[in-house]
Amino acid sequence: MAARTVDADVLVVGAGPVGLMLAGELRLGGAATVVLERRDAPTTESRASTLHARTMELLDSRGLLDALGTPPHEPRGHFGGVPLDLTLPSPWPGQWKVPQTRTEELLQDWALGLGADLRRGYELRAVRVGEDSGAGVEAVAAGPGGRALRVRARFVVGCDGEDSTLRRLTGAGFPGRDAGRELLRADVAGIDVPDRRFQRLEKGLAIAARRGDGVTRVMVHEFGAEPRGGEPEFGEVAQVWKRVTGEDISSGDPLWVNSFGDADRQLGGYRRGAVLFAGDAAHQQMPIGGQALNLGLQDAVNLGWKLAAEVRGRAPAGLLDTYHAERHAVGRRVLANIRAQALLLLGGPEVEPVRTLLGELIAERPAVRAHLAGMISGLDIRYGADAEDPLLGARLPYVQLRGPEGSLDTADLLRAGGRGLLLDLAGDARLRTAVRPWADRIVTVTARPAPDSALGAARAVLVRPDGYVVWTGTEGTPDGPEIALKNWFGVSDRN
């Protein structure tokens, strides 16, 4: 049977949260996008259920939070099992509990509504990458009933998890370390055990949380135990749980059973010509504190607008390479903090003195708490952090503003549909004239902040589509935004 052929600007492999987020971002930027997913239907497993403040801000900037309603909210998180208040300046401080099934449903509806072409039941089998940098890729997937699909695209992005098929087919190395410890995990109905938040017992670590539907998620680690290899049976989980806690859960009804270890891997390059990677396909880490999902979603938002600009011919030279430069560094830092947390969480009695000391530092040193909370929440990310201006490279802070039509805030302004933002805080007509040639890719808003706002002395701020500041103008700023506009948004046809 001859393969059917479809053409696209970008082929996304994997329709988990990261692939769907990327598909929506690409469509916002006008890129024709095909998504291949080997599963016939969305997952019914909620592996990840925590959204942190920065991810919530990004979802808000895309107008997606109304559909979530008001998820359960917890201002307190942890660092390696040591309690940590995650509250920092943000409209969405702390952590928000949203099952992965709901996150996927939300992002799928959004991406499809924007015109993404999602093909379920198609498993990637082959990829050919053109020798020239602009030659693109051709991929072949096997679909339902043995039907083959050929996709020709300028770029392909692997969002297909830590066992990425695209990574294997393209020979991308995945250096790092295998797991040395693991947590067994199960969602179990019909059991009655006390809730436990990182309870360290004589023989191991036990965690239990009963949901509103009566199902209890249990997680357990036996000190000194090595990874068993492969997915566990529920009987094994019950045995370890009994050895650690003394409780018998074997009569429960397991709805889902798995394990995760402290393996640690990261691609050396997130981009190889026309092939890119995001999420767990680019980095593997223990999912401590929900950071893995949030890291991947933020990869997608960083990449989406840049890749869309590239395929539409609007990207300045080197823009797409900033994806690797920015997100590899962020990923490396997150992997390092997760390694530290894994040692604190799964280590035996030998780590108790360190845990005690860390708890004292968090409780008695506000700067320590804020540093750790910023790292886990993603609110402290700065691209180009050597800049003297604290706004440059950081996310646009949440600030109340007053515009010509009344009050608004910076979160409102970022819902610009994949475009950048020039925020004029001083009513500068010359500034608005300077940005006019980029009017097709920049939204200009004139507004005034409240006194002593987080925008400081800035008279104008230029923001990328992913919400990060790339230029600020103050009373003494010698140059306008034209250089930053060309560096990040290209040369407009109107220049």
Side-chain angles (χ1 to χ4, degrees):
M1 181 184 298
R4 181 187 175 192
T5 301
V6 298
D7 295 315
D9 292 324
V10 181
L11 169 62
V12 176
V13 183
V18 175
L20 294 169
M21 186 88 224
L22 178 60
E25 292 293 305
L26 289 167
R27 288 301 302 140
L28 277 180
T33 305
V34 171
V35 184
L36 298 183
E37 171 54 55
R38 62 180 178 80
R39 297 174 302 178
D40 295 325
T43 182
T44 58
E45 299 176 354
S46 282
R47 292 173 177 265
S49 60
T50 298
L51 299 178
H52 285 295
R54 181 60 189 142
T55 300
M56 292 291 284
E57 290 180 355
L58 290 170
L59 294 176
D60 189 17
S61 74
R62 299 306 184 248
L64 294 172
L65 289 188
D66 286 348
L68 283 183
T70 305
H73 171 238
E74 173 57 65
R76 185 181 65 162
H78 71 94
F79 189 90
V82 178
L84 176 67
D85 182 358
L86 295 173
T87 303
L88 289 172
S90 168
W92 306 96
Q95 53 185 8
W96 302 78
K97 292 301 181 180
V98 181
Q100 182 174 324
T101 50
R102 181 67 186 108
T103 301
E104 285 194 18
E105 179 184 36
L106 175 76
L107 294 176
Q108 176 175 298
D109 289 347
W110 177 60
L112 293 180
L114 290 170
D117 182 356
L118 173 58
R119 307 292 182 102
R120 287 197 174 275
Y122 283 90
E123 184 171 1
L124 187 66
R125 293 292 176 84
V127 177
R128 183 182 64 81
V129 182
E131 294 182 3
D132 298 329
S133 59
V137 299
E138 184 174 277
V140 177
R147 289 175 295 176
L149 178 70
R150 178 180 289 107
V151 182
R152 295 183 301 207
R154 290 187 58 188
F155 293 91
V156 60
V157 186
C159 301
D160 50 343
E162 60 188 40
D163 297 321
S164 169
T165 299
L166 181 65
R167 202 178 58 229
R168 173 175 55 80
L169 290 174
T170 56
F174 203 34
R177 302 183 303 180
D178 292 332
R181 302 179 178 91
E182 71 175 351
L183 267 172
L184 304 180
R185 177 168 59 174
D187 286 347
V188 190
I191 62 172
D192 185 13
V193 297
D195 281 1
R196 292 181 168 90
R197 185 177 176 84
F198 305 108
Q199 185 177 18
R200 292 175 62 84
L201 301 165
E202 180 182 355
K203 295 183 179 180
L205 171 74
I207 304 163
R210 189 179 181 89
R211 303 189 320 219
D213 60 2
V215 174
T216 300
R217 173 164 292 185
V218 297
M219 291 185 277
V220 62
H221 168 71
E222 192 170 15
F223 292 147
E226 296 182 354
R228 42 176 308 288
E231 294 298 330
E233 299 290 337
F234 176 61
E236 297 174 271
V237 178
Q239 289 171 10
V240 176
W241 184 266
K242 188 169 185 177
R243 288 199 296 268
V244 170
T245 69
E247 298 166 353
D248 187 356
I249 62 171
S250 61
S251 61
D253 179 19
L255 307 181
W256 172 56
V257 179
N258 84 332
S259 64
F260 57 90
D262 60 350
D264 183 288
R265 298 186 181 280
Q266 187 179 27
L267 282 173
Y270 285 13
R271 180 190 178 195
R272 303 174 68 193
V275 182
L276 300 102
F277 297 90
D280 288 349
H283 40 76
Q284 179 184 2
Q285 59 286 305
M286 194 172 191
I288 294 177
Q291 289 186 88
L293 172 61
N294 291 267
L295 181 63
L297 291 173
Q298 292 167 39
D299 287 346
V301 176
N302 184 288
L303 174 59
W305 70 276
K306 298 173 182 178
L307 189 50
E310 182 74 23
V311 300
R312 295 193 66 193
R314 292 181 166 185
L319 176 67
L320 191 53
D321 288 327
T322 67
Y323 167 63
H324 165 79
E326 293 179 345
R327 295 306 297 173
H328 189 274
V330 170
R332 184 171 62 246
R333 185 169 183 249
V334 170
L335 264 62
N337 93 54
I338 288 178
R339 283 197 301 272
Q341 291 194 68
L343 289 172
L344 290 170
L345 192 64
L346 304 182
E350 71 278 4
V351 303
E352 289 301 331
V354 181
R355 292 174 57 84
T356 299
L357 176 60
L358 180 61
E360 292 174 355
L361 290 172
I362 290 171
E364 299 174 13
R365 298 288 187 269
V368 172
R369 183 207 68 81
H371 177 82
L372 296 177
M375 181 187 301
I376 289 173
S377 66
L379 294 176
D380 72 343
I381 293 171
R382 284 189 70 195
Y383 300 125
D386 58 340
E388 293 183 6
D389 186 337
L391 285 176
L392 279 177
R395 81 195 210 287
L396 180 66
Y398 179 76
V399 172
Q400 291 285 338
L401 304 163
R402 180 159 293 278
E405 299 181 2
S407 62
L408 68 164
D409 57 50
T410 48
D412 298 324
L413 301 182
L414 292 173
R415 301 189 187 102
R419 293 188 288 172
L421 166 70
L422 179 71
L423 179 56
D424 177 6
L425 300 167
D428 189 339
R430 292 173 301 173
L431 184 65
R432 296 194 299 276
T433 299
V435 79
R436 193 169 295 152
W438 287 270
D440 59 339
R441 58 200 77 174
I442 298 288
V443 175
T444 301
V445 176
T446 300
R448 293 188 180 275
D452 301 321
S453 80
L455 294 174
R459 294 170 60 85
V461 180
L462 179 64
V463 186
R464 306 185 326 189
D466 58 354
Y468 289 87
V469 177
V470 293
W471 175 84
T472 61
T474 62
E475 191 69 45
T477 301
D479 301 314
E482 291 88 350
I483 294 176
L485 283 163
K486 291 177 181 178
N487 286 343
W488 291 102
F489 298 95
V491 177
S492 171
D493 294 338
R494 306 180 188 183
N495 286 108

